[in-house]
Amino acid sequence: MGKMSDRHTKILELLTENEKVDVNQLSQLMHVSAVTIRKDLDKLENEGLVKRMHGYATLHSKDNLDNRLAYHYDVKQKIAQRACLDIHDGESIMIESGSCCALLALELSKQKHDVTIITNSAYIADYVRKSARVKIILLGGDYQKEAQVVVGPMTLACAQNFFVDKFFIGTDGFSKETGFTGNDFMRAQTVRDMAKQAKNVIVLSESLKFNQIGLVNLLPTDEVSCVFTDSGIPNESEEYLLSQGVEVKKVEV
């Protein structure tokens, strides 16, 4: 994904929140002409991010990481930058698919030296491929095309060759009753499989996810060592995590 204008980012955020938005409504919200909005949408459509239909625009796919990266980008970048501080030059880590995770890989490629990233995300491998500072080990498995991630028994077999101190994951939701939750069964199973190969599982997530619950179980709270999030995390969630021995590290937003 190339550098986006603030307006393009805002359009993607609106589409994430509203499923589909009328072109005239976008024009009013952005304070620009409908002609300008149509040009914006043409560009985003050419990049595979949005679909156009009968005066409306909608996201191409909620699994598309380019879309998810654009949503709350600034907060996710701050979270990634904070997590990067806890990783040492020369360290080997695991990173699972997710927008905060992709930004962590990018920060590592800029700020650290000789870090080895073991990942099941083809998106992340491609995202940092031009950096000589990081080494990528891409696990194999069944390829989910939209999310650009591999899952399944073959991914487990590959992951079992490694053991690391830190495994970074995203989450689609959290509650006291459910623990951390996801929206894709196969991806959640792969997270659990990879987690067995790490001493510490670390969640990277903007605080919005602590007001949501995903469709499937991801990991119970007691299997997570640390959460990197922002200062919007609900007090109740933070207090519960701390009571369960989970460290909470927040960035201000």
Side-chain angles (χ1 to χ4, degrees):
M1 180 175 69
K3 176 66 175 168
M4 279 200 196
S5 73
D6 290 341
R7 197 168 63 244
H8 291 166
T9 299
K10 184 63 179 171
I11 289 170
L12 289 174
E13 289 187 357
L14 285 166
L15 291 175
T16 301
E17 291 167 354
N18 298 288
E19 298 287 334
K20 66 177 185 178
V21 182
D22 181 273
V23 170
N24 293 325
Q25 188 182 0
L26 282 172
S27 172
Q28 291 167 9
L29 289 167
M30 300 291 170
H31 307 293
V32 294
S33 70
V35 172
T36 298
I37 287 294
R38 289 189 184 97
K39 287 179 180 176
D40 290 339
L41 293 175
D42 284 342
K43 185 175 190 304
L44 292 170
E45 187 172 41
N46 288 336
E47 292 182 9
L49 300 178
V50 305
K51 288 191 290 189
R52 304 276 299 280
M53 48 187 172
H54 309 302
Y56 287 91
T58 184
L59 285 184
H60 183 70
S61 168
K62 287 220 172 190
D63 260 351
N64 185 302
L65 259 183
D66 282 335
N67 287 335
R68 289 164 62 189
L69 268 174
Y71 190 58
H72 295 156
Y73 181 91
D74 292 346
V75 176
K76 290 174 179 177
Q77 187 179 46
K78 285 182 180 179
I79 292 168
Q81 287 169 341
R82 176 61 189 86
C84 183
L85 297 176
D86 284 15
I87 298 166
H88 311 295
D89 289 343
E91 190 171 358
S92 294
I93 62 168
M94 281 185 177
I95 303 182
E96 209 269 331
S97 175
S99 48
C100 282
C101 290
L103 289 172
L104 173 60
L106 186 63
E107 289 301 319
L108 291 171
S109 74
K110 293 177 181 176
Q111 313 223 19
K112 301 293 179 177
H113 291 280
D114 302 321
V115 171
T116 298
I117 297 172
I118 302 157
T119 185
N120 63 327
S121 170
Y123 183 96
I124 288 175
D126 181 64
Y127 201 52
V128 297
R129 73 186 188 281
K130 293 179 181 176
S131 172
R133 290 170 173 246
V134 293
K135 178 183 177 183
I136 297 285
I137 296 175
L138 183 59
L139 304 176
D142 295 322
Y143 188 50
Q144 294 186 341
K145 293 178 182 177
E146 283 294 347
Q148 298 179 59
V149 62
V150 295
V151 297
M154 194 184 302
T155 311
L156 168 59
C158 290
Q160 286 173 334
N161 291 293
F162 305 99
F163 191 82
V164 296
D165 184 56
K166 302 180 185 81
F167 174 36
F168 294 89
I169 67 170
T171 186
D172 291 311
F174 174 82
S175 75
K176 182 177 178 179
E177 293 74 27
T178 63
F180 293 93
T181 51
N183 285 332
D184 182 281
F185 176 80
M186 288 297 292
R187 220 173 304 160
Q189 181 60 56
T190 298
V191 166
R192 290 192 290 273
D193 290 340
M194 292 173 71
K196 294 170 186 170
Q197 307 307 121
K199 183 177 179 183
N200 297 292
V201 179
I202 301 161
V203 172
L204 306 182
S205 178
E206 70 270 40
S207 61
L208 179 73
K209 299 292 177 64
F210 289 90
N211 294 313
Q212 301 174 358
I213 299 177
L215 298 174
V216 297
N217 290 323
L218 187 65
L219 280 175
T221 305
D222 62 6
E223 289 187 24
V224 171
S225 301
C226 179
V227 170
F228 286 92
T229 188
D230 62 76
S231 53
I233 183 174
N235 288 335
E236 184 183 348
S237 296
E238 182 178 3
E239 288 168 8
Y240 177 70
L241 288 168
L242 293 171
S243 76
Q244 299 301 301
V246 181
E247 199 172 358
V248 179
K249 299 185 179 182
K250 298 182 290 186
V251 297
E252 290 297 323
V253 292

